[in-house]
Amino acid sequence: MQIVAKHLTGARQGESDVFNDVPLTIGRLPSSDLRLGIYDTRASARHAEIVLEKHNIVLHDVGSTNGTFVNGRKLPVAILNTGDIVEFGTGGPKLQFEIQDSPAYASSGVGAAAGNSAKLAHEAFRAAAAMKQNQDSELRAQLNQLRQEHRDLDVAIEALHNSPGSDLLQVQRLKKRKLHLRDRIIQIEDQLTPDIIA
């Protein structure tokens, strides 16, 4: 079995990806099997997955922000066939798929074994996705805390500037801390890779 994904539009336009096994995760996250461009923000960080179900190659939307469109139709689940064009999010990147699968593969015990393997991998993916959601929640809480501390430092620095005989060394220390906080805030924001809603 071989799946070829041709990037028709988007940041990776003109490129192709070739896969010899499923399941495949699709999204803007660098860890995705089929990686969409990080700036293709109509697509979600975790957008869809491809699995094997009863000898069919099946595309599942995994709760994306802007939906998945197969040959122009918005579908949460679709059997992929050679020539299908999939758009990830309204106005998002479009990919054309070629499915190359021999009859011997589908009729043999290898296909059934692959189906069981795909099911287990699919469950593992969903567990990993749930874990990622928990991590995102923790990151958002940390982000809110850092932003609040950043605002508090603004107030403290302003107060020191306005006080007579202010300690310039202390002001510099607070500014340095503020820069450190800003770097950490940007780092967390990048990890969360928010989607743009169509």
Side-chain angles (χ1 to χ4, degrees):
M1 176 184 63
Q2 188 177 80
I3 300 173
V4 180
K6 297 179 180 179
H7 296 258
L8 303 181
T9 65
R12 297 189 60 200
Q13 182 175 0
E15 298 180 26
S16 293
D17 293 306
V18 180
F19 304 96
N20 295 312
D21 201 4
V22 289
L24 301 174
T25 58
I26 305 172
R28 290 186 295 112
L29 286 177
S31 59
S32 299
D33 298 315
L34 203 174
R35 182 178 54 80
L36 306 175
I38 191 69
Y39 297 113
D40 288 329
T41 48
R42 297 294 181 182
S44 293
R46 294 178 300 278
H47 197 108
E49 64 180 356
I50 295 174
V51 298
L52 184 67
E53 294 180 359
K54 297 180 180 178
H55 312 313
N56 292 314
I57 305 299
V58 182
L59 175 71
H60 287 266
D61 185 292
V62 293
S64 66
T65 302
N66 295 319
T68 301
F69 299 79
V70 180
N71 299 323
R73 295 179 59 199
K74 186 175 183 180
L75 298 170
V77 180
I79 295 175
L80 280 182
N81 295 294
T82 291
D84 283 347
I85 295 176
V86 180
E87 181 179 14
F88 295 95
T90 308
K94 291 182 180 180
L95 280 72
Q96 185 175 46
F97 288 87
E98 291 181 8
I99 312 298
Q100 300 171 9
D101 194 357
S102 68
Y105 175 88
S107 62
S108 69
V110 175
N116 291 333
S117 175
K119 183 178 180 182
L120 290 173
H122 177 67
E123 291 172 355
F125 172 76
R126 291 206 176 278
M131 185 180 297
K132 183 67 171 63
Q133 285 181 343
N134 290 336
Q135 291 172 348
D136 283 356
S137 297
E138 292 174 4
L139 283 174
R140 286 192 174 90
Q142 187 178 354
L143 183 61
N144 289 334
Q145 184 178 351
L146 290 172
R147 283 172 174 165
Q148 182 59 53
E149 188 176 348
H150 192 272
R151 288 192 292 268
D152 291 344
L153 283 173
D154 277 335
V155 173
I157 290 169
E158 183 66 22
L160 281 172
H161 273 306
N162 294 334
S163 63
S166 60
D167 186 344
L168 293 179
L169 183 60
Q170 179 65 11
V171 170
Q172 289 301 317
R173 285 174 181 164
L174 292 178
K175 286 184 176 180
K176 186 175 180 180
R177 171 63 180 165
K178 184 180 168 185
L179 286 173
H180 175 75
L181 285 175
R182 184 59 189 160
D183 288 342
R184 181 61 182 144
I185 287 169
I186 291 173
Q187 184 183 18
I188 293 176
E189 287 174 340
D190 287 344
Q191 284 180 264
L192 291 172
T193 56
D195 303 330
I196 291 179
I197 299 174

